[in-house]
Structure formats: C-alpha cells, structure tokens
Amino acid sequence: MPGPHLRSPIGLSRAAVALLGLVIAVDLFAVYADLVLYDVSGDLMDGASGSAVARRLDDANSLNTVAGGIQSGSLVMSVIVYLCWFVRVRANAGVFAPDTQSMRPGWAIAGWFVPIVSLWYPRRITRDIWDASSPLGARRSYLLVNAWWTLWLLSIVGDRVSSAQSGDADTADGIHAGAYALMISDALDIAAAALAIALVLRLTRMQHEKALAGPGAPVGV
C-alpha cells in the first residue's frame, strides 16, 4: 500500500549550502560597507568637515543601502530552499522513527513563523530529526544543533538591535555606534550561516548513510 517513503535530501542540501554560502559572501560585503561607514563617522567625531567628508558619508550610506538590499534578497532565497530541505529531512525522520517525532510535520514550516514558539520549536524538531537519523545505538550529541540555534537567535537579536540603533542615528556618535552594531550583527549572521551549512551537511549525510544501511542496521554498518 502507498505510504510514507524516503526521499533523498542530497539535491536540496546542495542548493541550501550554495545559498547559505551566498549569504556569507554577501554578509562579508556588508561588513566591508559597515567598516566604511564606521571609518567616515569616526572622522566626523574627530571634527572633520567639508564637502569631501560629506561626500564620503553619502557614499558610505549608499554602499550600506546596496548591501542591505542584497542581504535581504539572498536571505529570502536561502530561507525558501532551507525550509524545503528541512521539510524533506523531517519527512524522512518520520519514516525512520515516526514514534520519536514530537511535533506534527506541519510545524517544520509553521514553527519558524509562529510568534513565541518560533524561539524553540525549530530546535526541538531538529533534535527529533537528529535522533531519528542517527545510527541505531549511536551516542548522540546535540552540540552542533545547540551551537547553531544559539547563534541563530543571537543573529536575530543583533539584527533588531542594529536596525534600531542605525535607523535612529542622526549624529556622528549615533552613526558611529550604529555602524559598529551593524558589524556585530553581520558577523553573527556569518557565524550562524556557517553552522547552518555544517548542520545541513551533517544531517544529510546521516540520513543518506542510514538509508543505505537499511532498517535496524547497527552502528558501523
């Protein structure tokens, strides 16, 4: 009878990794834009004035605007593909070990967007997927999952703080502090994306190896 079956996550994982890599590259460009703004605002704080400094400030603001736009586009694309991969590995986990999945399949998407529960549901689902994808009898460690989720939450907080601080800046001191906050936020984004790549690769490999080993295969097979 037709029923749940395994589907390879390899293709989606490659696409997710490529787009997460693009996010990192764009974030590095954003860090450069932040540094340019930080530099010119520092000069303003030191008393620099004139048309040359004003022109540098305009250029720095324009560069940050471009970086922000590219960041938004790359993030949207990576989120879409990442969620497609996440739904795929969650479905496979339901085949490997349906009794250990504490959340319904629909939460693999909804859990990221529902307020409040989005702070822990995706991590919980990821842990369930990790457990189901682990070889039978393997010693489980959630270090990668926990590190990735911690940095993801920190990047969200950093983005909101930096957006508020830079958006309200209308003095040299404020612009300088806002540029610094943007640098921290973009650095957190880079770290979170790097760990997300590691998580995608690890879970994809685990599921692929478990599928090849067959049901009930012990560790090492």
Side-chain angles (χ1 to χ4, degrees):
M1 296 292 294
H5 59 280
L6 297 175
R7 297 180 63 190
S8 174
I10 293 177
L12 285 173
S13 73
R14 289 172 178 167
V17 167
L19 286 172
L20 286 167
L22 176 62
V23 167
I24 292 175
V26 172
D27 281 340
L28 287 171
F29 171 68
V31 169
Y32 166 72
D34 300 335
L35 283 170
V36 172
L37 183 60
Y38 186 79
D39 181 60
V40 67
S41 60
D43 289 344
L44 288 172
M45 290 176 59
D46 293 336
S49 61
S51 59
V53 175
R55 191 162 49 249
R56 286 174 57 205
L57 181 61
D58 289 339
D59 292 342
N61 284 326
S62 298
L63 192 63
N64 269 269
T65 300
V66 171
I70 299 175
Q71 279 180 303
S72 298
S74 62
L75 180 61
V76 169
M77 291 189 296
S78 66
V79 165
I80 292 172
V81 176
Y82 181 89
L83 287 179
C84 290
W85 168 84
F86 195 68
V87 169
R88 176 69 57 84
V89 293
R90 167 59 182 85
N92 287 343
V95 177
F96 287 136
D99 296 337
T100 65
Q101 303 306 299
S102 59
M103 303 287 182
R104 293 184 177 275
W107 283 111
I109 292 181
W112 293 89
F113 301 103
V114 177
I116 308 300
V117 300
S118 61
L119 296 176
W120 74 87
Y121 268 32
R123 174 184 172 274
R124 179 65 179 272
I125 296 169
T126 303
R127 283 190 55 168
D128 290 344
I129 297 170
W130 189 280
D131 289 341
S133 306
S134 298
L136 184 65
R139 184 177 181 180
R140 295 168 187 168
S141 170
Y142 303 113
L143 179 61
L144 178 57
V145 175
N146 293 335
W148 156 73
W149 188 244
T150 299
L151 278 172
W152 168 251
L153 292 179
L154 287 175
S155 70
I156 293 175
V157 173
D159 179 67
R160 293 183 179 180
V161 170
S162 63
S163 295
Q165 193 163 3
S166 61
D168 296 335
D170 55 3
T171 64
D173 289 351
I175 295 172
H176 197 66
Y180 182 77
L182 286 171
M183 278 191 286
I184 298 299
S185 175
D186 291 332
L188 287 171
D189 284 344
I190 292 171
L195 284 184
I197 288 175
L199 183 69
V200 169
L201 293 174
R202 181 74 177 274
L203 268 177
T204 299
R205 187 178 76 243
M206 288 167 63
Q207 290 203 345
H208 181 64
E209 291 176 350
K210 188 161 188 173
L212 291 179
V219 177
V221 173

PDB file of all heavy atoms in Angstrom, residues 188-207:
ATOM      1  N   LEU A 188      27.588  37.964  13.292  1.00  0.00           N
ATOM      2  CA  LEU A 188      26.755  36.896  13.856  1.00  0.00           C
ATOM      3  C   LEU A 188      26.028  36.142  12.743  1.00  0.00           C
ATOM      4  O   LEU A 188      25.877  34.914  12.808  1.00  0.00           O
ATOM      5  CB  LEU A 188      25.752  37.482  14.849  1.00  0.00           C
ATOM      6  CG  LEU A 188      26.316  37.941  16.196  1.00  0.00           C
ATOM      7  CD1 LEU A 188      25.252  38.693  16.988  1.00  0.00           C
ATOM      8  CD2 LEU A 188      26.832  36.755  17.002  1.00  0.00           C
ATOM      9  N   ASP A 189      25.563  36.876  11.733  1.00  0.00           N
ATOM     10  CA  ASP A 189      24.910  36.234  10.586  1.00  0.00           C
ATOM     11  C   ASP A 189      25.869  35.262   9.888  1.00  0.00           C
ATOM     12  O   ASP A 189      25.468  34.158   9.493  1.00  0.00           O
ATOM     13  CB  ASP A 189      24.443  37.285   9.585  1.00  0.00           C
ATOM     14  CG  ASP A 189      23.187  37.999  10.044  1.00  0.00           C
ATOM     15  OD1 ASP A 189      22.518  37.487  10.956  1.00  0.00           O
ATOM     16  OD2 ASP A 189      22.878  39.073   9.495  1.00  0.00           O
ATOM     17  N   ILE A 190      27.103  35.678   9.725  1.00  0.00           N
ATOM     18  CA  ILE A 190      28.100  34.823   9.072  1.00  0.00           C
ATOM     19  C   ILE A 190      28.318  33.548   9.864  1.00  0.00           C
ATOM     20  O   ILE A 190      28.339  32.435   9.315  1.00  0.00           O
ATOM     21  CB  ILE A 190      29.429  35.593   8.895  1.00  0.00           C
ATOM     22  CG1 ILE A 190      29.249  36.715   7.875  1.00  0.00           C
ATOM     23  CG2 ILE A 190      30.552  34.656   8.467  1.00  0.00           C
ATOM     24  CD1 ILE A 190      30.431  37.662   7.797  1.00  0.00           C
ATOM     25  N   ALA A 191      28.479  33.692  11.191  1.00  0.00           N
ATOM     26  CA  ALA A 191      28.704  32.523  12.038  1.00  0.00           C
ATOM     27  C   ALA A 191      27.497  31.594  12.022  1.00  0.00           C
ATOM     28  O   ALA A 191      27.645  30.355  11.949  1.00  0.00           O
ATOM     29  CB  ALA A 191      29.011  32.971  13.466  1.00  0.00           C
ATOM     30  N   ALA A 192      26.283  32.159  12.094  1.00  0.00           N
ATOM     31  CA  ALA A 192      25.074  31.341  12.077  1.00  0.00           C
ATOM     32  C   ALA A 192      24.925  30.595  10.749  1.00  0.00           C
ATOM     33  O   ALA A 192      24.542  29.421  10.719  1.00  0.00           O
ATOM     34  CB  ALA A 192      23.851  32.218  12.339  1.00  0.00           C
ATOM     35  N   ALA A 193      25.218  31.279   9.643  1.00  0.00           N
ATOM     36  CA  ALA A 193      25.121  30.636   8.325  1.00  0.00           C
ATOM     37  C   ALA A 193      26.149  29.519   8.178  1.00  0.00           C
ATOM     38  O   ALA A 193      25.870  28.469   7.589  1.00  0.00           O
ATOM     39  CB  ALA A 193      25.298  31.677   7.225  1.00  0.00           C
ATOM     40  N   ALA A 194      27.350  29.737   8.714  1.00  0.00           N
ATOM     41  CA  ALA A 194      28.394  28.709   8.640  1.00  0.00           C
ATOM     42  C   ALA A 194      27.976  27.454   9.405  1.00  0.00           C
ATOM     43  O   ALA A 194      28.158  26.324   8.918  1.00  0.00           O
ATOM     44  CB  ALA A 194      29.709  29.255   9.193  1.00  0.00           C
ATOM     45  N   LEU A 195      27.394  27.638  10.589  1.00  0.00           N
ATOM     46  CA  LEU A 195      26.940  26.475  11.356  1.00  0.00           C
ATOM     47  C   LEU A 195      25.716  25.827  10.711  1.00  0.00           C
ATOM     48  O   LEU A 195      25.533  24.614  10.805  1.00  0.00           O
ATOM     49  CB  LEU A 195      26.625  26.885  12.790  1.00  0.00           C
ATOM     50  CG  LEU A 195      27.841  27.115  13.688  1.00  0.00           C
ATOM     51  CD1 LEU A 195      27.406  27.429  15.110  1.00  0.00           C
ATOM     52  CD2 LEU A 195      28.760  25.893  13.695  1.00  0.00           C
ATOM     53  N   ALA A 196      24.882  26.636  10.047  1.00  0.00           N
ATOM     54  CA  ALA A 196      23.747  26.065   9.324  1.00  0.00           C
ATOM     55  C   ALA A 196      24.237  25.165   8.190  1.00  0.00           C
ATOM     56  O   ALA A 196      23.663  24.096   7.934  1.00  0.00           O
ATOM     57  CB  ALA A 196      22.861  27.181   8.774  1.00  0.00           C
ATOM     58  N   ILE A 197      25.300  25.581   7.503  1.00  0.00           N
ATOM     59  CA  ILE A 197      25.890  24.735   6.456  1.00  0.00           C
ATOM     60  C   ILE A 197      26.380  23.423   7.055  1.00  0.00           C
ATOM     61  O   ILE A 197      26.133  22.339   6.504  1.00  0.00           O
ATOM     62  CB  ILE A 197      27.050  25.479   5.764  1.00  0.00           C
ATOM     63  CG1 ILE A 197      26.508  26.605   4.889  1.00  0.00           C
ATOM     64  CG2 ILE A 197      27.895  24.519   4.920  1.00  0.00           C
ATOM     65  CD1 ILE A 197      27.587  27.474   4.263  1.00  0.00           C
ATOM     66  N   ALA A 198      27.070  23.508   8.194  1.00  0.00           N
ATOM     67  CA  ALA A 198      27.564  22.296   8.847  1.00  0.00           C
ATOM     68  C   ALA A 198      26.413  21.374   9.236  1.00  0.00           C
ATOM     69  O   ALA A 198      26.498  20.146   9.090  1.00  0.00           O
ATOM     70  CB  ALA A 198      28.389  22.668  10.077  1.00  0.00           C
ATOM     71  N   LEU A 199      25.319  21.956   9.719  1.00  0.00           N
ATOM     72  CA  LEU A 199      24.160  21.157  10.117  1.00  0.00           C
ATOM     73  C   LEU A 199      23.507  20.476   8.917  1.00  0.00           C
ATOM     74  O   LEU A 199      23.160  19.292   8.973  1.00  0.00           O
ATOM     75  CB  LEU A 199      23.140  22.052  10.821  1.00  0.00           C
ATOM     76  CG  LEU A 199      21.901  21.359  11.370  1.00  0.00           C
ATOM     77  CD1 LEU A 199      22.271  20.468  12.557  1.00  0.00           C
ATOM     78  CD2 LEU A 199      20.846  22.370  11.772  1.00  0.00           C
ATOM     79  N   VAL A 200      23.348  21.220   7.830  1.00  0.00           N
ATOM     80  CA  VAL A 200      22.749  20.656   6.617  1.00  0.00           C
ATOM     81  C   VAL A 200      23.586  19.480   6.111  1.00  0.00           C
ATOM     82  O   VAL A 200      23.052  18.403   5.787  1.00  0.00           O
ATOM     83  CB  VAL A 200      22.619  21.736   5.524  1.00  0.00           C
ATOM     84  CG1 VAL A 200      22.262  21.089   4.181  1.00  0.00           C
ATOM     85  CG2 VAL A 200      21.564  22.760   5.913  1.00  0.00           C
ATOM     86  N   LEU A 201      24.888  19.675   6.040  1.00  0.00           N
ATOM     87  CA  LEU A 201      25.766  18.613   5.545  1.00  0.00           C
ATOM     88  C   LEU A 201      25.734  17.387   6.454  1.00  0.00           C
ATOM     89  O   LEU A 201      25.681  16.238   5.981  1.00  0.00           O
ATOM     90  CB  LEU A 201      27.195  19.138   5.413  1.00  0.00           C
ATOM     91  CG  LEU A 201      27.424  20.218   4.339  1.00  0.00           C
ATOM     92  CD1 LEU A 201      28.849  20.747   4.413  1.00  0.00           C
ATOM     93  CD2 LEU A 201      27.139  19.651   2.946  1.00  0.00           C
ATOM     94  N   ARG A 202      25.758  17.628   7.767  1.00  0.00           N
ATOM     95  CA  ARG A 202      25.794  16.515   8.722  1.00  0.00           C
ATOM     96  C   ARG A 202      24.498  15.704   8.702  1.00  0.00           C
ATOM     97  O   ARG A 202      24.528  14.468   8.632  1.00  0.00           O
ATOM     98  CB  ARG A 202      26.053  17.065  10.121  1.00  0.00           C
ATOM     99  CG  ARG A 202      26.148  15.996  11.202  1.00  0.00           C
ATOM    100  CD  ARG A 202      27.453  15.228  11.114  1.00  0.00           C
ATOM    101  NE  ARG A 202      27.547  14.267  12.196  1.00  0.00           N
ATOM    102  CZ  ARG A 202      28.022  14.536  13.415  1.00  0.00           C
ATOM    103  NH1 ARG A 202      28.442  15.784  13.685  1.00  0.00           N
ATOM    104  NH2 ARG A 202      28.083  13.617  14.339  1.00  0.00           N
ATOM    105  N   LEU A 203      23.359  16.378   8.764  1.00  0.00           N
ATOM    106  CA  LEU A 203      22.092  15.660   8.776  1.00  0.00           C
ATOM    107  C   LEU A 203      21.838  14.944   7.450  1.00  0.00           C
ATOM    108  O   LEU A 203      21.323  13.819   7.433  1.00  0.00           O
ATOM    109  CB  LEU A 203      20.943  16.629   9.061  1.00  0.00           C
ATOM    110  CG  LEU A 203      20.540  16.802  10.526  1.00  0.00           C
ATOM    111  CD1 LEU A 203      19.434  17.835  10.663  1.00  0.00           C
ATOM    112  CD2 LEU A 203      20.094  15.473  11.131  1.00  0.00           C
ATOM    113  N   THR A 204      22.215  15.578   6.355  1.00  0.00           N
ATOM    114  CA  THR A 204      22.047  14.946   5.043  1.00  0.00           C
ATOM    115  C   THR A 204      22.890  13.675   4.963  1.00  0.00           C
ATOM    116  O   THR A 204      22.414  12.631   4.488  1.00  0.00           O
ATOM    117  CB  THR A 204      22.442  15.908   3.921  1.00  0.00           C
ATOM    118  OG1 THR A 204      21.590  17.072   3.976  1.00  0.00           O
ATOM    119  CG2 THR A 204      22.300  15.253   2.561  1.00  0.00           C
ATOM    120  N   ARG A 205      24.131  13.745   5.418  1.00  0.00           N
ATOM    121  CA  ARG A 205      24.994  12.565   5.406  1.00  0.00           C
ATOM    122  C   ARG A 205      24.441  11.456   6.307  1.00  0.00           C
ATOM    123  O   ARG A 205      24.455  10.282   5.934  1.00  0.00           O
ATOM    124  CB  ARG A 205      26.404  12.935   5.840  1.00  0.00           C
ATOM    125  CG  ARG A 205      27.392  11.764   5.672  1.00  0.00           C
ATOM    126  CD  ARG A 205      28.805  12.149   6.065  1.00  0.00           C
ATOM    127  NE  ARG A 205      28.963  12.203   7.513  1.00  0.00           N
ATOM    128  CZ  ARG A 205      29.260  13.287   8.192  1.00  0.00           C
ATOM    129  NH1 ARG A 205      29.402  14.449   7.573  1.00  0.00           N
ATOM    130  NH2 ARG A 205      29.391  13.254   9.501  1.00  0.00           N
ATOM    131  N   MET A 206      23.955  11.834   7.469  1.00  0.00           N
ATOM    132  CA  MET A 206      23.390  10.855   8.400  1.00  0.00           C
ATOM    133  C   MET A 206      22.206  10.120   7.774  1.00  0.00           C
ATOM    134  O   MET A 206      22.094   8.893   7.865  1.00  0.00           O
ATOM    135  CB  MET A 206      22.971  11.545   9.695  1.00  0.00           C
ATOM    136  CG  MET A 206      24.136  11.990  10.565  1.00  0.00           C
ATOM    137  SD  MET A 206      23.635  13.132  11.905  1.00  0.00           S
ATOM    138  CE  MET A 206      22.545  12.075  12.867  1.00  0.00           C
ATOM    139  N   GLN A 207      21.319  10.881   7.140  1.00  0.00           N
ATOM    140  CA  GLN A 207      20.146  10.246   6.539  1.00  0.00           C
ATOM    141  C   GLN A 207      20.525   9.384   5.340  1.00  0.00           C
ATOM    142  O   GLN A 207      19.969   8.292   5.143  1.00  0.00           O
ATOM    143  CB  GLN A 207      19.126  11.316   6.130  1.00  0.00           C
ATOM    144  CG  GLN A 207      18.449  11.984   7.315  1.00  0.00           C
ATOM    145  CD  GLN A 207      17.119  12.603   6.964  1.00  0.00           C
ATOM    146  OE1 GLN A 207      16.774  12.793   5.781  1.00  0.00           O
ATOM    147  NE2 GLN A 207      16.333  12.927   7.980  1.00  0.00           N
TER     148      GLN A 207
END
